[in-house]
Amino acid sequence: QLVESGGGTVQPGGSLRLSCAVSGFTYGDTRMGWFRQAPGKEREGVAAIDNWGGTKYADSVMGRFTISQDYSSGILYLQMNSLKPEDTGMYYCASFPWGRASLTRSQYQYWGQGTQVTVS
């Protein structure tokens, strides 16, 4: 089970930190990712991390967003700084039991319900 939190409304240039609480599987073995979906657009990969510490970021968020994970508490984070209106969307946490960091939607099996981020 994946449960996101931390979304909200923020002004351009502001920051938010999203959290994803993980339960029901061995968190440390998984590929984890953050995706977002704006109205009328497809869901896109934003950031991903794997068990070896590898990370990937979409070009649009590089240098502004940071993905991290706390194995002891089973929480995945997404620190978002210098937010822009185009960052607005529903943000989803996703996981797959194994593999390197990936921003490809089809490479994830489990999804959370999402948390809304609005930048305006």
Side-chain angles (χ1 to χ4, degrees), residues 21-32:
V22 176
S23 63
F25 57 86
T26 306
Y27 175 71
D29 296 335
T30 59
R31 162 195 294 154
M32 301 293 298

Side-chain angles (χ1 to χ4, degrees), residues 10 12 21 30 34-35 37 71 75 85-86 102 116:
V10 64
T30 59
W34 286 99
F35 289 73
Q37 188 167 17
Y71 288 106
I75 299 178
E86 51 263 44
S102 171
Q116 177 68 37

